[in-house]
Structure formats: structure tokens, C-alpha cells
Amino acid sequence: MEIRLSSNLLVTFFLLQLIQLCAASEYTRPSPRQLIFRAHNRSDSEPQQVHVSLAGKDYMRVSWITSDKHVKSIVEYGKSPGKYESSATGERTSYHYFLYSSGEIHHVKIGPLEPSTTYYYRCGGAGPEFSFRTPPSTFPIEFAVVGDLGQTEWTASTLEHVGVKDYDVFLLPGDLSYADSQQPLWDSFGRLVEPYASTRPWMVTEGNHEIESFPIIYPRGFKAYNARWVMPHQESGSKSNLYYSFDVVGTHIIMLGSYTDFDSDSDQYKWLQADLANVDRKKTPWVVVLLHAPWYNSNQAHRGEGESMRQAMEEVLYKARVDVIFAGHVHSYERFTRVFDNNADPCGPVYITIGDGGNREGLAMNFENPSPSISVYREPSFGHGWLTVYNNTHAQWSWHRNNETNAIIADEVWLESLSSSTLCGQATTPSKSLNDEL
């Protein structure tokens, strides 16, 4: 059955926006662009909201939704258009949220796959053909990094800018659809991102807008997120879809959950320790972390919301010599130097807030003045970033401001991996001086 927004849902949605706007009086935001709603325009048996994600070494997970509950969870795939030499079957699920009932949500793991190869695939045994390209097996590798994406005209602008570049993996540090319990907006978001998420692996972690909890009825939250966006948590030894890790081309990427337990007695903390203990920096010289609520932030929005998580986990990541930590949540861009415990430290991670993908709430305009000495660049504009890892020792980060038809490079920096640093190789305690090169 086709899912559409009812008038009651629209009224409720806009009332929620009004309430949230009034609550955000501590800082001023410009007028956001219009919400985009993508309706279902295929038959009930055809796949919609198709996206792919990495699912262990040489494997990908294909996910999609059908209105028809009788469609098989099968993916046929091959290296030539229309020629499917292989197939795999998977699993399906569905969920209810108050009066909303989802379609059949299919997840199929395919592989083993060859690197740097385009595969053509079909979902459910019928319907349109899609294609994706697998990541390379050797450097260089390029990551698109976008936070707080949403589904507005700004979102469409961001995706168009990202889509014209030949990148390898898409990273999203939380706040995907901004459905905020309005479940048809999850469907709309899936259709909006399908042209991009079906062609490159999208690796995401949850933000506060994915929680969607309700006392007594849905106390745990994340019902839609966990059903729709299955990430490789089992493949990385995690008990929860809210935190996991994966390897791709010399880079170990850790997705942490800002909205699940993270203290030293938590499953997430214990998993993180075990995960980092298994990292071999000769095989993955780069370690990158994504989470939602930033640990360092000089914007007046969401001040201190990541502090308790920072106090719990920062030293663990510092001792592991994590190279970069990306966050979202704050709707602006900010890059910090290498930091540990609120001080510049050449052996700490570079912290980057990139919560400016296109959310419906607008931008967080107000930063504290004067700027903290550890904050290198900050700007309240919509945009996206590129992390290009060239080899074992060097990578380049650039942030691009969305400027109508052009994506302007506003900030960029070269990074040296801490695994290659003679100063930081054996360090286990904070240092007090900065390297010339980040």
C-alpha cells in the first residue's frame, strides 16, 4: 500500500516544528529552506528506498522496502548490466509505530565482492536495475562526510554537490531523516537519498532525531532507525546497531553512539576497548571516529551536551592515537586543532563538527567570542566535507561551503597519521606542545 502524508500528520509535524523553534531561542537561525517530501511512484512490488552499506570484508548489505509483503528478500547481481551471475537471500522485518505500519524492510548481504568494481543488481527478483561501486583495496580512498542531513532543499543541494564527485564511502555522524516520530518522513528520506545511497556505501550512526522514544510504549527508542539502517555491528562484535566499526583501505572507522550508555560499566565502553585492542596500525594506520554530540564546541548551540561522554571515553581514544573525530548535532562547521583534555596536544585527535548537511532547523549562528585558542576555523554555513587518505602517513581534509550552484572550499588541512609520528608512537600521557603539521 502506498504511504502518504495525511493532513493530520502534516498539522502535527508543523506544530512540532513551531514548538522546537520557540525552544531554540538561545541562538538565532536564518530561515531554513523548504521541506522536500518524496512520494512513492513505483508499484507495490518494486523496491524503493534502496541503499547499500559495508558488511564485513568484501561484503555489502543491500537494503530496500516494498509495500508488497510477498516479495522475496533476494538480490541478483553481476558485473555487466542485466547479467546477474550471482544471487543471495537475506531477511526481512517490519515495524509499527502508533498508527503507522512500515512496508517490508529487506536486508541482504552479498559477496564476496572484488574491490574497485561496479556491480549491477536487482532487488526482489524484479523492478529497476541499480549499480554500486566497491571501495578500492589500496590507497587512495575518499570519504564524503555529511552530518545532520535532513530532507530540505539544502539537503538536495548538499547531495547534488556530493554526487558529482567520484568518492568511495559516505559517512554520516547522525541525524538522518528528521522524521521526529512522523514515520512517513522516514520513507520520504529513503526515496530522496536512494540515487546516492544505492551507488556508494552509506555508513551512518544515530543522532538525537533518531531516538523517537515514547514513555511506556516505546521506551528504548530507535525503532525506525534500527529497522531501516542496519549497520555491521554484528560483524564488528557489537551487541547494538548504535555502535560498531569497520575497516576500509588502511582506515579503521569507529561509529559511537551518543545516545546509548557510554560510561565505563557500559557495553559500549567495553566494546570500544576491545575493538581498539584489536586494531593493527600496520594494517590500518588511520583510525577515525564518528559520533553525534560534539565533545568540543564553541558554538552557543548544544553547549556541553557531549561533555559526559568526553569525560568517559576521551582518554581511551587518546591512548589509542585516534587521528580524527567527526561530530554533528551543532548546525554549523568547526574544526579544532589536535586536542586532549581541553588543551592543544600534538598526539590528540583533530576534532571536526560538521552538522551542516541541510537540516530543517536552520543554522546555529552564534559562536562564543573570543574564539578559543584550540578552535582553528568555524563558520555557520551549510556544507559537506571530503577526507582523502592518500597513503599510510598523509591525508587531506577539506570543507566545502554550499554556495548555490558551486561548492566553495572554505577550509582545508593536511593531516599526518599519528601512527607515523615519532613523537606520538609510544606516548600514553598528554603532551603540551603542538606539531607544525596536524
Side-chain angles (χ1 to χ4, degrees):
M1 182 177 65
E2 183 174 328
I3 300 171
R4 297 184 182 278
L5 279 177
S6 69
S7 58
N8 288 338
L9 282 172
L10 278 172
V11 170
T12 303
F13 173 70
F14 286 114
L15 283 174
L16 283 171
Q17 285 195 34
L18 180 61
I19 292 170
Q20 291 169 347
L21 183 62
C22 293
S25 58
E26 70 272 19
Y27 54 90
T28 303
R29 286 171 170 158
S31 298
R33 287 188 174 181
Q34 184 177 351
L35 175 76
I36 294 175
F37 180 75
R38 287 282 190 266
H40 182 27
N41 59 5
R42 296 177 187 154
S43 71
D44 288 352
S45 62
E46 288 186 312
Q48 56 164 307
Q49 306 176 51
V50 179
H51 64 268
V52 298
S53 56
L54 301 174
K57 180 176 173 54
D58 301 328
Y59 284 81
M60 297 273 270
R61 179 174 285 108
V62 181
S63 302
W64 75 96
I65 296 179
T66 57
S67 300
D68 187 341
K69 299 184 182 299
H70 301 291
V71 174
K72 294 181 180 180
S73 300
I74 183 172
V75 172
E76 302 164 285
Y77 59 100
K79 299 177 186 178
S80 300
K83 296 181 180 180
Y84 310 123
E85 302 164 349
S86 304
S87 66
T89 58
E91 59 188 19
R92 68 175 69 193
T93 188
S94 61
Y95 71 94
H96 301 278
Y97 192 88
F98 293 104
L99 299 179
Y100 172 89
S101 296
S102 76
E104 291 296 296
I105 305 171
H106 307 262
H107 301 290
V108 178
K109 189 172 177 178
I110 66 173
L113 305 172
E114 297 178 11
S116 299
T117 302
T118 297
Y119 285 89
Y120 300 85
Y121 64 101
R122 186 172 64 177
C123 304
E129 181 178 78
F130 300 89
S131 67
F132 63 75
R133 192 187 68 200
T134 55
S137 59
T138 58
F139 293 120
I141 184 170
E142 187 162 39
F143 301 94
V145 187
V146 180
D148 297 67
L149 189 56
Q151 47 189 312
T152 69
E153 292 177 353
W154 277 119
T155 307
S157 171
T158 297
L159 291 174
E160 288 170 4
H161 288 312
V162 169
V164 298
K165 199 162 184 181
D166 192 25
Y167 65 98
D168 298 300
V169 180
F170 189 100
L171 304 177
L172 203 166
D175 281 359
L176 284 69
S177 70
Y178 282 78
D180 291 324
S181 299
Q182 305 300 308
Q183 297 302 303
L185 289 179
W186 273 109
D187 295 305
S188 173
F189 175 79
R191 299 176 195 121
L192 176 65
V193 303
E194 181 190 84
Y196 310 93
S198 62
T199 64
R200 295 291 187 275
W202 275 39
M203 310 305 293
V204 306
T205 190
E206 83 282 0
N208 56 300
H209 287 275
E210 276 74 67
I211 299 175
E212 298 183 314
S213 61
F214 196 88
I216 301 177
I217 302 175
Y218 304 115
R220 293 186 178 182
F222 303 107
K223 197 173 184 69
Y225 174 79
N226 283 334
R228 295 169 182 268
W229 291 84
V230 174
M231 293 289 113
H233 63 284
Q234 294 180 339
E235 290 85 349
S236 57
S238 169
K239 297 179 181 179
S240 171
N241 193 49
L242 302 180
Y243 52 89
Y244 64 95
S245 67
F246 61 97
D247 292 341
V248 57
V249 192
T251 309
H252 184 70
I253 298 181
I254 301 172
M255 300 292 216
L256 294 178
S258 296
Y259 302 97
T260 187
D261 292 342
F262 46 70
D263 60 63
S264 59
D265 294 325
S266 67
D267 286 340
Q268 179 175 202
Y269 186 95
K270 295 173 184 176
W271 169 85
L272 175 61
Q273 286 186 311
D275 184 79
L276 288 170
N278 289 326
V279 173
D280 183 349
R281 296 302 281 265
K282 292 181 180 179
K283 295 181 179 178
T284 54
W286 294 88
V287 178
V288 176
V289 171
L290 282 82
L291 48 85
H292 190 61
W295 294 357
Y296 291 96
N297 169 32
S298 71
N299 198 290
Q300 293 181 15
H302 303 301
R303 293 297 297 273
E305 291 185 17
E307 180 62 14
S308 56
M309 190 179 189
R310 183 192 72 81
Q311 292 181 7
M313 290 184 163
E314 183 181 27
E315 187 172 3
V316 175
L317 299 185
Y318 175 81
K319 288 181 176 180
R321 296 295 183 252
V322 169
D323 294 290
V324 186
I325 298 180
F326 292 104
H329 201 36
V330 177
H331 299 160
S332 63
Y333 173 76
E334 185 168 18
R335 175 171 61 86
F336 292 84
T337 188
R338 293 195 178 277
V339 177
F340 176 72
D341 196 21
N342 289 288
N343 292 300
D345 189 305
C347 301
V350 173
Y351 285 83
I352 296 174
T353 299
I354 188 161
D356 54 358
N359 68 87
R360 59 174 169 76
E361 297 172 329
L363 294 166
M365 300 292 291
N366 297 331
F367 288 91
E368 69 174 70
N369 285 307
S371 174
S373 60
I374 58 175
S375 179
V376 178
Y377 186 92
R378 54 189 191 172
E379 180 179 328
S381 295
F382 289 107
H384 58 281
W386 299 103
L387 177 65
T388 307
V389 183
Y390 286 100
N391 51 42
N392 289 358
T393 60
H394 286 82
Q396 185 180 33
W397 165 256
S398 61
W399 177 69
H400 299 240
R401 182 191 307 120
N402 290 358
N403 186 17
E404 300 303 332
T405 57
N406 300 315
I408 306 301
I409 299 177
D411 180 44
E412 57 183 342
V413 64
W414 280 92
L415 305 172
E416 180 185 1
S417 64
L418 294 181
S419 65
S420 67
S421 169
T422 55
L423 173 66
C424 302
Q426 301 299 322
T428 57
T429 56
S431 303
K432 297 301 181 182
S433 62
L434 272 177
N435 283 340
D436 294 332
E437 182 181 43
L438 294 175

